[in-house]
Amino acid sequence: MKIKLYGTRGSVPVFNPRSVKYGGNTTCLRIFADQILENTALVIDAGSGIIPMGNDLLKETAGKLKDVTLLFTHWHNDHTLGLFLSPITYFKSVKMKLLGPNENNIGPKEMMQDMMRPPYFPIDVREVRSKFEYINIDMPQAQVVLIHQKGLKLIDLDIYERIEMHLEDIEIEDEFYPLNEFLVIKMHRAKHPDKTISYRFEDKTSGKVFVFLTDNENEDGFSGNLKKHVEGADLLIMDAQYSRDKYISQTVGYGHGTPDYAVKLAEHCHVKRLGLTHHDPTSEDKDVDQIMEEGQRALSPNSKLEVFACADYMTIMV
Ligand SMILES: [Zn+2]
Ligand SMILES: [Zn+2]
Protein backbone atom coordinates (compact mmCIF):
# COMPACT_ATOMS: atom_id res chain seq x y z
CA MET A 1 0.00 0.00 0.00
CA LYS A 2 0.96 3.59 -0.45
CA ILE A 3 -0.70 6.58 1.18
CA LYS A 4 -0.58 10.12 -0.13
CA LEU A 5 -1.71 12.85 2.23
CA TYR A 6 -3.37 15.91 0.72
CA GLY A 7 -4.80 17.52 3.86
CA THR A 8 -3.54 17.23 7.43
CA ARG A 9 -5.05 20.35 9.02
CA GLY A 10 -7.98 20.18 11.42
CA SER A 11 -11.10 22.32 11.70
CA VAL A 12 -10.47 24.91 8.96
CA PRO A 13 -7.96 25.41 6.12
CA VAL A 14 -5.11 27.82 6.88
CA PHE A 15 -2.66 29.69 4.75
CA ASN A 16 0.09 31.75 6.29
CA PRO A 17 3.85 31.97 5.84
CA ARG A 18 4.47 30.29 9.21
CA SER A 19 2.52 27.14 8.31
CA VAL A 20 4.09 25.97 5.06
CA LYS A 21 6.09 22.95 6.23
CA TYR A 22 2.98 21.00 7.24
CA GLY A 23 0.51 22.80 4.99
CA GLY A 24 -3.00 24.05 5.55
CA ASN A 25 -5.44 21.79 3.67
CA THR A 26 -8.07 19.99 5.70
CA THR A 27 -8.33 16.20 5.69
CA CYS A 28 -8.02 14.23 2.48
CA LEU A 29 -5.80 11.25 1.65
CA ARG A 30 -5.51 8.78 -1.16
CA ILE A 31 -4.81 5.07 -0.75
CA PHE A 32 -2.96 3.12 -3.42
CA ALA A 33 -3.20 -0.69 -3.36
CA ASP A 34 -3.13 -3.60 -5.82
CA GLN A 35 -6.89 -4.02 -5.43
CA ILE A 36 -7.59 -0.60 -6.90
CA LEU A 37 -7.87 -0.62 -10.69
CA GLU A 38 -6.12 1.78 -13.00
CA ASN A 39 -8.16 4.94 -13.67
CA THR A 40 -9.96 4.60 -10.35
CA ALA A 41 -9.09 5.92 -6.89
CA LEU A 42 -9.77 5.25 -3.24
CA VAL A 43 -9.88 8.40 -1.11
CA ILE A 44 -10.69 9.24 2.51
CA ASP A 45 -12.54 12.48 3.26
CA ALA A 46 -13.14 15.54 1.15
CA GLY A 47 -11.58 18.39 3.08
CA SER A 48 -9.91 21.14 1.06
CA GLY A 49 -7.11 18.66 0.22
CA ILE A 50 -9.45 16.94 -2.24
CA ILE A 51 -8.99 19.86 -4.64
CA PRO A 52 -5.26 19.26 -5.31
CA MET A 53 -5.93 15.49 -5.01
CA GLY A 54 -8.49 15.73 -7.82
CA ASN A 55 -6.15 17.83 -9.96
CA ASP A 56 -3.36 15.24 -9.56
CA LEU A 57 -5.76 12.41 -10.32
CA LEU A 58 -7.05 14.04 -13.50
CA LYS A 59 -3.50 14.74 -14.68
CA GLU A 60 -2.36 11.20 -13.91
CA THR A 61 -5.28 9.53 -15.68
CA ALA A 62 -5.22 11.91 -18.68
CA GLY A 63 -8.96 11.96 -19.32
CA LYS A 64 -9.51 8.26 -18.51
CA LEU A 65 -10.58 8.60 -14.87
CA LYS A 66 -13.67 6.41 -14.38
CA ASP A 67 -14.43 5.89 -10.76
CA VAL A 68 -13.63 7.42 -7.35
CA THR A 69 -14.59 5.72 -4.10
CA LEU A 70 -14.77 8.20 -1.26
CA LEU A 71 -14.88 7.00 2.35
CA PHE A 72 -16.03 9.66 4.80
CA THR A 73 -15.04 9.61 8.45
CA HIS A 74 -17.95 11.94 9.31
CA TRP A 75 -19.86 14.99 8.09
CA HIS A 76 -18.15 17.86 9.89
CA ASN A 77 -17.45 20.69 7.52
CA ASP A 78 -13.65 20.37 7.51
CA HIS A 79 -14.05 16.83 6.06
CA THR A 80 -16.55 17.74 3.32
CA LEU A 81 -15.91 21.32 2.24
CA GLY A 82 -13.66 20.53 -0.73
CA LEU A 83 -16.06 18.15 -2.47
CA PHE A 84 -18.20 20.84 -4.04
CA LEU A 85 -15.18 22.63 -5.49
CA SER A 86 -13.13 19.66 -6.66
CA PRO A 87 -12.92 19.20 -10.45
CA ILE A 88 -13.70 15.47 -10.18
CA THR A 89 -17.20 16.33 -8.93
CA TYR A 90 -18.11 17.90 -12.28
CA PHE A 91 -16.65 15.47 -14.83
CA LYS A 92 -19.74 13.62 -16.03
CA SER A 93 -17.74 10.55 -17.00
CA VAL A 94 -16.35 10.11 -13.47
CA LYS A 95 -18.62 8.04 -11.22
CA MET A 96 -18.33 8.58 -7.50
CA LYS A 97 -19.27 6.19 -4.69
CA LEU A 98 -19.74 8.01 -1.41
CA LEU A 99 -19.64 5.83 1.72
CA GLY A 100 -20.07 7.21 5.20
CA PRO A 101 -21.83 7.04 8.54
CA ASN A 102 -25.60 7.10 8.71
CA GLU A 103 -26.92 8.60 11.92
CA ASN A 104 -30.47 9.80 12.54
CA ASN A 105 -31.16 9.15 8.84
CA ILE A 106 -28.39 11.45 7.71
CA GLY A 107 -25.94 9.58 5.50
CA PRO A 108 -23.96 10.52 2.38
CA LYS A 109 -27.05 11.23 0.26
CA GLU A 110 -28.64 13.53 2.83
CA MET A 111 -25.32 15.31 3.40
CA MET A 112 -25.14 16.10 -0.32
CA GLN A 113 -28.80 17.15 -0.51
CA ASP A 114 -28.50 19.35 2.56
CA MET A 115 -25.23 21.05 1.73
CA MET A 116 -25.00 21.18 -2.05
CA ARG A 117 -27.89 23.46 -2.85
CA PRO A 118 -28.65 27.16 -3.19
CA PRO A 119 -28.39 29.47 -1.33
CA TYR A 120 -25.51 27.68 0.43
CA PHE A 121 -23.87 26.69 -2.85
CA PRO A 122 -24.70 27.87 -6.40
CA ILE A 123 -25.06 24.35 -7.86
CA ASP A 124 -27.81 21.97 -6.76
CA VAL A 125 -26.80 18.34 -6.25
CA ARG A 126 -29.65 17.35 -8.59
CA GLU A 127 -27.64 18.79 -11.49
CA VAL A 128 -24.88 16.23 -10.92
CA ARG A 129 -26.91 13.46 -9.33
CA SER A 130 -26.28 10.82 -12.00
CA LYS A 131 -22.63 10.72 -10.97
CA PHE A 132 -23.19 9.64 -7.40
CA GLU A 133 -23.88 6.35 -5.70
CA TYR A 134 -24.47 6.48 -1.94
CA ILE A 135 -23.69 3.73 0.54
CA ASN A 136 -24.77 4.17 4.16
CA ILE A 137 -22.66 2.68 6.91
CA ASP A 138 -25.18 2.09 9.69
CA MET A 139 -23.13 0.05 12.14
CA PRO A 140 -19.42 0.69 11.59
CA GLN A 141 -18.26 -1.79 14.21
CA ALA A 142 -20.44 -4.59 12.84
CA GLN A 143 -19.72 -4.14 9.12
CA VAL A 144 -16.76 -4.58 6.74
CA VAL A 145 -16.06 -3.04 3.33
CA LEU A 146 -14.41 -5.41 0.85
CA ILE A 147 -12.57 -4.04 -2.18
CA HIS A 148 -11.47 -6.19 -5.10
CA GLN A 149 -10.45 -5.26 -8.63
CA LYS A 150 -13.91 -6.52 -9.68
CA GLY A 151 -15.89 -4.38 -7.26
CA LEU A 152 -16.79 -3.31 -3.76
CA LYS A 153 -19.20 -4.68 -1.19
CA LEU A 154 -20.31 -4.04 2.36
CA ILE A 155 -20.99 -7.11 4.51
CA ASP A 156 -21.64 -7.87 8.17
CA LEU A 157 -18.57 -8.44 10.31
CA ASP A 158 -19.79 -11.81 11.60
CA ILE A 159 -20.20 -13.09 8.03
CA TYR A 160 -16.73 -11.79 7.18
CA GLU A 161 -15.22 -13.48 10.24
CA ARG A 162 -16.73 -16.79 9.17
CA ILE A 163 -15.27 -16.35 5.69
CA GLU A 164 -11.87 -15.51 7.18
CA MET A 165 -11.91 -18.44 9.59
CA HIS A 166 -12.81 -20.98 6.89
CA LEU A 167 -10.80 -19.24 4.14
CA GLU A 168 -13.88 -19.22 1.95
CA ASP A 169 -13.92 -17.44 -1.38
CA ILE A 170 -15.89 -14.19 -1.60
CA GLU A 171 -18.54 -13.44 -4.20
CA ILE A 172 -18.27 -10.24 -6.24
CA GLU A 173 -20.54 -9.76 -9.28
CA ASP A 174 -21.48 -13.50 -9.41
CA GLU A 175 -17.87 -14.73 -9.37
CA PHE A 176 -15.86 -16.03 -6.42
CA TYR A 177 -12.39 -14.79 -5.44
CA PRO A 178 -9.94 -15.80 -2.67
CA LEU A 179 -9.55 -13.54 0.37
CA ASN A 180 -5.91 -12.81 -0.47
CA GLU A 181 -7.07 -10.75 -3.46
CA PHE A 182 -8.99 -8.28 -1.26
CA LEU A 183 -8.46 -5.04 0.55
CA VAL A 184 -10.49 -5.47 3.74
CA ILE A 185 -11.67 -2.32 5.52
CA LYS A 186 -12.75 -2.68 9.13
CA MET A 187 -14.27 0.15 11.13
CA HIS A 188 -14.40 1.57 14.62
CA ARG A 189 -16.49 4.38 16.02
CA ALA A 190 -14.13 7.16 17.10
CA LYS A 191 -14.65 9.22 20.25
CA HIS A 192 -15.95 12.43 18.70
CA PRO A 193 -19.19 14.41 18.63
CA ASP A 194 -21.48 12.88 15.94
CA LYS A 195 -20.91 9.43 14.50
CA THR A 196 -17.32 9.28 13.27
CA ILE A 197 -15.61 6.27 11.68
CA SER A 198 -11.98 5.21 11.89
CA TYR A 199 -10.94 2.93 9.01
CA ARG A 200 -8.53 -0.02 9.26
CA PHE A 201 -7.19 -1.20 5.88
CA GLU A 202 -5.93 -4.78 5.76
CA ASP A 203 -4.22 -5.52 2.46
CA LYS A 204 -4.69 -9.30 2.24
CA THR A 205 -2.25 -9.51 -0.67
CA SER A 206 0.75 -7.84 1.00
CA GLY A 207 -0.30 -8.47 4.62
CA LYS A 208 0.16 -4.76 5.47
CA VAL A 209 -2.19 -2.80 7.73
CA PHE A 210 -2.96 0.93 7.80
CA VAL A 211 -5.25 2.57 10.35
CA PHE A 212 -6.63 6.10 9.97
CA LEU A 213 -7.96 7.42 13.26
CA THR A 214 -8.76 11.10 13.13
CA ASP A 215 -11.23 13.24 15.04
CA ASN A 216 -10.75 11.09 18.09
CA GLU A 217 -10.39 12.26 21.66
CA ASN A 218 -8.28 10.62 24.37
CA GLU A 219 -10.11 7.96 26.37
CA ASP A 220 -9.37 6.78 29.87
CA GLY A 221 -7.11 3.90 28.94
CA PHE A 222 -7.86 1.90 25.81
CA SER A 223 -11.11 0.06 25.18
CA GLY A 224 -11.00 -3.51 23.92
CA ASN A 225 -12.58 -2.44 20.64
CA LEU A 226 -10.02 0.30 20.11
CA LYS A 227 -7.10 -2.05 20.84
CA LYS A 228 -8.41 -4.64 18.41
CA HIS A 229 -8.89 -1.96 15.76
CA VAL A 230 -5.33 -0.60 16.00
CA GLU A 231 -3.43 -3.82 16.83
CA GLY A 232 -0.36 -4.54 14.72
CA ALA A 233 -0.75 -1.66 12.27
CA ASP A 234 2.29 -0.99 10.09
CA LEU A 235 1.13 2.63 9.97
CA LEU A 236 -1.27 4.48 12.24
CA ILE A 237 -2.25 8.05 11.37
CA MET A 238 -3.93 9.58 14.38
CA ASP A 239 -5.42 12.81 15.65
CA ALA A 240 -3.05 14.80 17.91
CA GLN A 241 -4.49 18.26 17.46
CA TYR A 242 -3.51 19.59 20.89
CA SER A 243 -0.50 19.56 23.17
CA ARG A 244 -1.25 17.95 26.53
CA ASP A 245 -1.13 21.40 28.20
CA LYS A 246 -3.64 22.97 25.83
CA TYR A 247 -5.89 19.92 26.10
CA ILE A 248 -5.99 20.02 29.89
CA SER A 249 -6.44 23.78 30.11
CA GLN A 250 -8.82 24.46 27.20
CA THR A 251 -10.03 21.68 24.97
CA VAL A 252 -11.23 18.65 26.93
CA GLY A 253 -14.45 17.46 25.29
CA TYR A 254 -13.73 18.99 21.86
CA GLY A 255 -13.25 15.53 20.32
CA HIS A 256 -9.52 15.65 19.56
CA GLY A 257 -6.45 14.02 21.01
CA THR A 258 -2.91 14.59 22.24
CA PRO A 259 0.44 13.18 21.05
CA ASP A 260 1.29 11.37 24.29
CA TYR A 261 -2.00 9.46 24.18
CA ALA A 262 -1.43 8.52 20.53
CA VAL A 263 2.06 7.24 21.38
CA LYS A 264 0.84 5.16 24.33
CA LEU A 265 -1.94 3.61 22.24
CA ALA A 266 0.44 2.88 19.37
CA GLU A 267 3.02 1.27 21.65
CA HIS A 268 0.36 -0.74 23.45
CA CYS A 269 -0.93 -2.06 20.11
CA HIS A 270 2.48 -2.88 18.56
CA VAL A 271 2.20 -0.24 15.84
CA LYS A 272 5.36 0.31 13.76
CA ARG A 273 4.94 3.94 12.62
CA LEU A 274 2.76 6.71 13.98
CA GLY A 275 1.87 9.85 12.02
CA LEU A 276 0.23 12.70 13.94
CA THR A 277 -2.47 14.63 12.09
CA HIS A 278 -5.44 17.04 12.29
CA HIS A 279 -3.07 19.87 13.20
CA ASP A 280 -4.75 22.74 15.00
CA PRO A 281 -5.42 25.75 12.75
CA THR A 282 -3.63 27.95 15.30
CA SER A 283 -0.53 25.71 15.26
CA GLU A 284 2.28 27.16 13.18
CA ASP A 285 5.07 24.89 11.93
CA LYS A 286 7.06 25.35 15.15
CA ASP A 287 4.02 24.32 17.21
CA VAL A 288 3.47 21.17 15.14
CA ASP A 289 7.19 20.41 15.60
CA GLN A 290 6.68 20.75 19.35
CA ILE A 291 3.67 18.43 19.33
CA MET A 292 5.73 15.84 17.46
CA GLU A 293 8.56 16.22 19.99
CA GLU A 294 6.07 15.89 22.83
CA GLY A 295 5.02 12.58 21.29
CA GLN A 296 8.63 11.46 20.91
CA ARG A 297 9.30 12.31 24.58
CA ALA A 298 6.38 10.09 25.56
CA LEU A 299 8.04 7.01 24.02
CA SER A 300 8.98 4.23 26.44
CA PRO A 301 12.68 3.44 26.81
CA ASN A 302 13.81 1.13 23.97
CA SER A 303 10.60 1.75 22.05
CA LYS A 304 10.94 1.03 18.33
CA LEU A 305 7.91 3.15 17.39
CA GLU A 306 8.64 5.87 14.84
CA VAL A 307 6.71 9.10 15.49
CA PHE A 308 6.36 11.85 12.90
CA ALA A 309 4.04 14.73 12.07
CA CYS A 310 2.00 14.36 8.89
CA ALA A 311 2.32 17.05 6.23
CA ASP A 312 0.31 17.86 3.11
CA TYR A 313 1.68 16.13 -0.02
CA MET A 314 3.66 13.57 2.00
CA THR A 315 3.76 10.07 0.50
CA ILE A 316 4.17 7.09 2.81
CA MET A 317 4.89 3.51 1.77
CA VAL A 318 3.20 0.91 3.96
ZN1 LIG B 1 -12.01 17.35 11.72
ZN1 LIG C 1 -14.97 16.40 13.41
Side-chain angles (χ1 to χ4, degrees):
M1 263 186 295
K2 184 174 91 176
I3 315 297
K4 181 154 185 187
L5 306 173
Y6 282 93
T8 57
R9 191 63 55 173
S11 310
V12 71
V14 296
F15 185 78
N16 71 61
R18 295 167 307 281
S19 303
V20 291
K21 181 172 158 193
Y22 295 106
N25 292 330
T26 61
T27 306
C28 177
L29 54 155
R30 184 173 165 199
I31 315 242
F32 298 79
D34 291 347
Q35 297 83 356
I36 299 154
L37 280 177
E38 217 181 321
N39 299 318
T40 73
L42 176 63
V43 177
I44 307 182
D45 279 349
S48 62
I50 199 171
I51 297 168
M53 194 289 302
N55 290 333
D56 278 5
L57 190 54
L58 289 171
K59 212 181 293 168
E60 172 195 312
T61 51
K64 295 199 199 98
L65 181 63
K66 282 193 304 230
D67 194 301
V68 176
T69 298
L70 196 41
L71 300 173
F72 283 91
T73 56
H74 63 313
W75 308 120
H76 288 166
N77 190 243
D78 52 324
H79 298 257
T80 58
L81 63 90
L83 185 59
F84 315 126
L85 293 167
S86 178
I88 51 174
T89 301
Y90 300 98
F91 272 77
K92 283 216 161 54
S93 56
V94 181
K95 296 284 177 208
M96 296 178 78
K97 272 191 201 78
L98 309 188
L99 288 86
N102 178 37
E103 186 176 42
N104 302 325
N105 295 321
I106 296 178
K109 185 176 183 182
E110 292 73 23
M111 181 278 291
M112 291 297 281
Q113 286 172 346
D114 289 349
M115 294 171 68
M116 192 176 184
R117 65 179 170 109
Y120 309 112
F121 193 74
I123 298 162
D124 193 296
V125 69
R126 284 174 292 190
E127 293 172 44
V128 284
R129 109 180 109 192
S130 60
K131 289 178 48 77
F132 293 105
E133 181 188 341
Y134 303 106
I135 302 175
N136 281 342
I137 299 171
D138 297 310
M139 309 233 293
Q141 276 165 211
Q143 292 176 294
V144 176
V145 180
L146 301 173
I147 294 185
H148 187 274
Q149 290 200 348
K150 299 291 180 189
L152 171 154
K153 77 189 222 182
L154 185 66
I155 65 168
D156 289 347
L157 179 65
D158 53 355
I159 295 172
Y160 172 75
E161 285 178 340
R162 207 172 56 223
I163 289 170
E164 195 177 35
M165 190 186 296
H166 300 291
L167 288 174
E168 291 167 19
D169 288 350
I170 299 168
E171 188 181 353
I172 297 269
E173 308 279 342
D174 301 327
E175 295 280 342
F176 285 84
Y177 302 95
L179 182 58
N180 66 13
E181 293 182 4
F182 283 82
L183 181 63
V184 175
I185 306 172
K186 295 178 178 166
M187 293 170 275
H188 170 78
R189 184 167 177 170
K191 189 181 173 199
H192 194 62
D194 306 310
K195 194 189 252 181
T196 300
I197 301 176
S198 165
Y199 293 98
R200 173 186 172 98
F201 299 83
E202 297 182 356
D203 181 340
K204 295 297 180 188
T205 308
S206 69
K208 298 289 183 180
V209 175
F210 163 53
V211 177
F212 186 64
L213 175 55
T214 194
D215 294 67
N216 181 68
E217 183 160 353
N218 298 2
E219 291 176 21
D220 291 330
F222 316 118
S223 71
N225 275 336
L226 179 62
K227 282 195 283 192
K228 191 174 165 207
H229 183 69
V230 173
E231 180 60 40
D234 296 279
L235 173 68
L236 167 65
I237 292 185
M238 184 163 167
D239 188 319
Q241 181 160 345
Y242 306 124
S243 67
R244 172 59 70 167
D245 275 353
K246 182 166 181 176
Y247 180 69
I248 298 287
S249 62
Q250 297 175 42
T251 64
V252 169
Y254 284 20
H256 299 286
T258 67
D260 56 308
Y261 179 77
V263 164
K264 290 299 166 209
L265 174 69
E267 284 187 334
H268 191 82
C269 297
H270 314 97
V271 169
K272 294 198 179 72
R273 299 169 78 196
L274 170 66
L276 306 175
T277 193
H278 212 272
H279 308 309
D280 194 79
T282 66
S283 286
E284 298 177 355
D285 289 334
K286 63 175 174 31
D287 304 308
V288 178
D289 284 337
Q290 274 176 18
I291 283 179
M292 177 178 70
E293 286 157 17
E294 193 175 314
Q296 289 164 341
R297 280 197 302 276
L299 287 166
S300 308
N302 307 320
S303 176
K304 291 202 172 65
L305 178 67
E306 180 194 336
V307 181
F308 61 96
C310 291
D312 294 2
Y313 308 109
M314 185 184 260
T315 299
I316 308 165
M317 297 303 297
V318 181

